[in-house]
C-alpha cells in the first residue's frame, strides 16, 4: 500500500498468552495476520505473560513456555528488526495503566465478558480478581501504544469492544488521550474449531490433545489427528448447516492452500471423508513445516532470543511511558 507523504503509518498491537504451544487456531486466527501486517505497518507484538497468571501456572513450566512462545512468534515469521517484540511483564507501564483503566471500567461491563464466564466455570476453584479485570489489562496493552488496529481471532471481539469503550470514555472525561482501536479479524479462520468437538473453539489449554493441532506437532501426528477429527454421517465434502466438523476442515484447508471453497468442493466431489481428512492433514503439515524447522533452530539460540526481547522491551518502554505520563497528568497526578 502506498502512503501519502506525511501520512503516519498505522500502529498495530497484539498479544498472545504463553499458556501452551500455540495451536493452528492461534496461527490462522491471529499470528498469520501479524506476519502480513508487519510488512506495511509499525507493529508491536508481545507475549502476554501477565495475562497467563489469571489461571494457575507452575512457575518453572511458565518460564519455559514464555521463552518458547517468544521463539514460536519469531519462527512464524515475525522479524524483531521490523516489529517490536517483547514480554509484557518487562514493560511495567502495562500494569500501571491497567490500574488507571480499571478505575474507568464498570463492574457491570466486566461481568458481561463471556471469557470471564467460561473461564470461571472451567476454573471454579480459582475465580480470582485478575481473571475479572483481565480486559482492563488488555485495554492497557493496546492503548499504551496508541494502536489503530488489533489483529485477533473472533473470540477477542468483546474484549476489544471494551477497550474501545474505555478509550472513548477516558477521552470524553479527560480530553483526547487515546487512539480508539479497531479489530483486525480474518474473514476465514477467525474461529478454528476443536477437532474432537467442532462446536467448541480450538484451544491450547484443552485437556484433550486430539482436539487441537499445535504449530510444533510432527507431520505424522498432524495427519493422525486430522484422521480422528469428528465429522458427520453425510459423507459429502461440502459446506452446510449442521456440518460443523466438515465446515471447519474446509476452512482450514482453504486457508493453508489458498483455494476457494468452490474449488475445494469440486476437488473432493465424490471422494470420501477419509480421503479428504488425509489431504487436509498433509496440507497443514506441509504449511507448518518451515515454522517447526525455524523453531528448532531458534530455541537453541538463547543469546539471540535474549537480545531480541531485551531490545524490544527497551524501545517499548519508551513508547509506553510517553502515553503513561500523559495519562498521569490528565488524571491529576503531580509530576515527579
Ligand atoms: P487459552 O486456551 O489459554 O485460553 P487460546 O488458545 O484461546 O488460549 P489466546 O492466547 O487466548 O489463545 O489467543 C491468542 C490469539 O489467538 C487471539 O488473537 C485469539 O483470538 C486467537 N485464537 C485463539 N483460539 C483461536 C481459534 N480457535 N481460532 C482462531 N483464533 C484463535
Ligand atoms: N487476551 C488476548 C491476549 C492479549 C491481547 C492483548 C490481544 C493480551 N493482550 C492485546 C490483543 C491485544 C487473548 O488472546 N486471549
Amino acid at each position: 500500500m502506498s502512503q501519502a507523504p506525511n501520512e503516519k503509518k498505522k500502529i498495530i498491537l497484539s498479544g498472545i498468552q504463553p499458556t501452551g504451544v500455540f495451536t493452528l487456531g492461534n496461527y490462522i486466527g491471529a499470528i498469520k495476520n501479524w506476519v502480513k501486517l508487519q510488512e506495511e505497518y509499525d507493529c508491536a507484538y508481545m507475549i502476554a505473560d501477565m495475562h497467563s497468571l489469571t489461571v494457575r501456572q507452575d512457575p518453572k513450566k511458565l518460564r519455559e513456555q514464555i521463552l518458547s512462545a517468544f521463539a514460536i512468534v519469531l519462527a512464524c515469521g515475525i522479524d524483531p528488526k521490523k516489529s517490536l517484540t517483547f514480554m509484557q511483564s518487562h514493560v511495567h507501564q502495562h500494569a500501571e495503566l491497567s490500574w488507571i483503566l480499571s478505575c474507568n471500567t464498570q463492574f457491570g461491563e466486566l461481568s458481561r465478558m463471556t471469557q470471564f464466564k467460561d473461564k470461571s466455570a472451567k476454573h471454579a476453584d480459582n475465580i480470582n480478581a485478575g481473571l475479572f479485570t483481565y480486559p482492563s489489562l488488555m485495554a492497557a496493552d493496546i492503548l499504551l501504544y496508541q494502536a489503530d488496529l488489533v489483529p485477533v481471532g473472533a473470540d477477542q471481539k468483546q474484549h476489544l469492544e471494551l477497550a474501545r469503550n474505555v478509550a472513548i470514555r477516558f477521552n470524553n472525561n479527560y480530553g483526547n488521550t487515546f487512539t480508539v482501536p479497531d479489530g483486525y479479524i480474518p474473514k476465514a479462520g477467525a474461529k478454528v474449531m476443536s477437532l474432537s468437538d467442532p462446536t467448541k473453539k480450538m484451544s491450547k489449554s484443552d485437556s484433550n490433545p486430539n482436539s487441537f493441532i499445535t504449530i510444533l506437532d510432527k507431520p505424522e501426528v498432524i495427519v493422525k489427528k486430522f484422521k480422528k477429527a469428528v465429522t458427520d454421517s453425510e459423507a459429502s465434502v461440502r459446506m452446510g448447516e449442521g456440518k460443523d466438523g466438515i465446515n471447519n476442515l474446509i476452512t482450514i484447508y482453504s486457508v493453508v492452500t489458498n483455494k476457494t471453497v468452490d474449488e475445494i468442493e469440486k476437488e473432493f466431489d465424490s471422494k470420501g471423508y477419509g480421503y479428504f481428512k488425509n489431504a487436509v492433514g498433509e496440507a497443514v503439515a506441509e504449511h507448518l513445516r518451515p515454522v517447526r524447522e525455524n523453531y528448532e533452530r531458534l530455541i537453541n539460540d538463547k543469546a539471540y532470543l535474549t537480545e531480541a526481547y531485551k531490545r524490544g522491551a527497551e524501545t517499548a518502554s519508551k513508547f509506553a511511558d510517553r502515553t503513561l505520563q500523559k495519562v498521569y497528568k490528565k488524571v491529576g497526578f503531580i509530576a515527579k
Side-chain angles (χ1 to χ4, degrees):
M1 198 177 69
S2 65
Q3 282 187 349
N6 300 328
E7 197 182 312
K8 207 172 123 290
K9 269 193 190 176
K10 277 196 166 41
I11 298 175
I12 313 292
L13 178 124
S14 197
I16 186 158
Q17 301 187 78
T19 40
V21 180
F22 301 167
T23 67
L24 185 64
N26 299 135
Y27 180 70
I28 292 178
I31 303 181
K32 222 167 169 273
N33 271 338
W34 295 13
V35 178
K36 192 174 110 188
L37 290 165
Q38 84 172 339
E39 301 306 329
E40 292 180 35
Y41 302 113
D42 285 334
C43 300
Y45 298 124
M46 52 158 223
I47 304 302
D49 49 1
M50 292 167 71
H51 275 102
S52 71
L53 288 190
T54 54
V55 168
R56 269 195 201 97
Q57 306 288 345
D58 170 57
K60 186 167 175 283
K61 245 176 84 191
L62 182 63
R63 195 167 294 122
E64 286 165 11
Q65 281 174 191
I66 293 172
L67 191 67
S68 164
F70 188 76
I72 298 181
V73 167
L74 302 199
C76 287
I78 298 300
D79 178 351
K81 291 213 172 70
K82 288 186 189 157
S83 301
L84 262 184
T85 48
F86 61 97
M87 313 297 188
Q88 184 184 29
S89 64
H90 290 180
V91 183
H92 60 81
Q93 288 84 355
H94 289 246
E96 291 177 63
L97 182 62
S98 156
W99 174 251
I100 306 283
L101 297 183
S102 67
C103 296
N104 287 275
T105 309
Q106 298 304 305
F107 184 88
E109 287 182 291
L110 292 170
S111 311
R112 284 195 289 277
M113 296 294 113
T114 54
Q115 182 177 295
F116 172 68
K117 292 184 205 163
D118 293 349
K119 295 223 165 169
S120 301
K122 211 165 141 199
H123 305 277
D125 61 336
N126 184 25
I127 307 177
N128 59 76
L131 190 65
F132 189 66
T133 58
Y134 179 116
S136 300
L137 177 59
M138 179 161 158
D141 301 336
I142 299 167
L143 303 184
L144 267 181
Y145 299 88
Q146 307 288 356
D148 298 284
L149 289 178
V150 183
V152 283
D155 63 316
Q156 294 301 313
K157 258 191 198 162
Q158 210 185 14
H159 289 162
L160 251 168
E161 198 54 37
L162 187 135
R164 284 174 57 87
N165 289 340
V166 171
I168 293 168
R169 184 175 311 142
F170 193 97
N171 287 347
N172 286 340
N173 289 343
Y174 296 100
N176 209 14
T177 312
F178 296 123
T179 301
V180 179
D182 281 313
Y184 188 92
I185 296 171
K187 283 197 188 76
K191 192 171 182 188
V192 176
M193 308 310 276
S194 151
L195 298 185
S196 56
D197 176 359
T199 60
K200 269 179 26 193
K201 103 172 173 146
M202 182 182 283
S203 167
K204 59 174 130 65
S205 56
D206 199 310
S207 56
N208 175 7
N210 281 326
S211 72
F212 57 81
I213 303 290
T214 84
I215 291 191
L216 303 179
D217 279 343
K218 297 240 156 41
E220 57 279 15
V221 174
I222 296 180
V223 170
K224 208 163 80 198
K225 284 186 180 176
F226 274 109
K227 269 191 188 142
K228 287 197 185 132
V230 169
T231 46
D232 55 73
S233 54
E234 196 192 326
S236 89
V237 180
R238 51 170 197 82
M239 286 269 196
E241 214 171 298
K243 289 167 67 75
D244 300 315
I246 284 295
N247 294 347
N248 191 36
L249 297 185
I250 292 179
T251 305
I252 292 172
Y253 190 70
S254 161
V255 172
V256 299
T257 60
N258 273 327
K259 291 178 185 168
T260 65
V261 172
D262 267 0
E263 284 167 345
I264 297 167
E265 289 178 345
K266 275 201 195 95
E267 182 180 348
F268 294 96
D269 185 33
S270 77
K271 302 252 176 28
Y273 281 174
Y275 184 88
F276 177 55
K277 285 182 187 178
N278 199 54
V280 181
E282 282 178 1
V284 169
E286 204 40 50
H287 193 77
L288 294 179
R289 185 185 301 278
V291 176
R292 210 182 59 250
E293 288 170 0
N294 287 341
Y295 176 80
E296 302 299 343
R297 191 170 36 77
L298 282 161
I299 198 64
N300 290 311
D301 194 348
K302 300 279 187 301
Y304 174 74
L305 295 175
T306 311
E307 145 80 8
Y309 66 67
K310 283 199 171 165
R311 205 162 11 90
E314 233 172 81
T315 314
S317 292
K318 283 188 197 135
F319 209 105
D321 207 53
R322 240 183 279 155
T323 305
L324 185 70
Q325 296 315 322
K326 197 161 142 192
V327 168
Y328 276 0
K329 197 167 165 197
K330 295 249 173 167
V331 298
F333 291 169
I334 290 176
K336 278 194 275 192

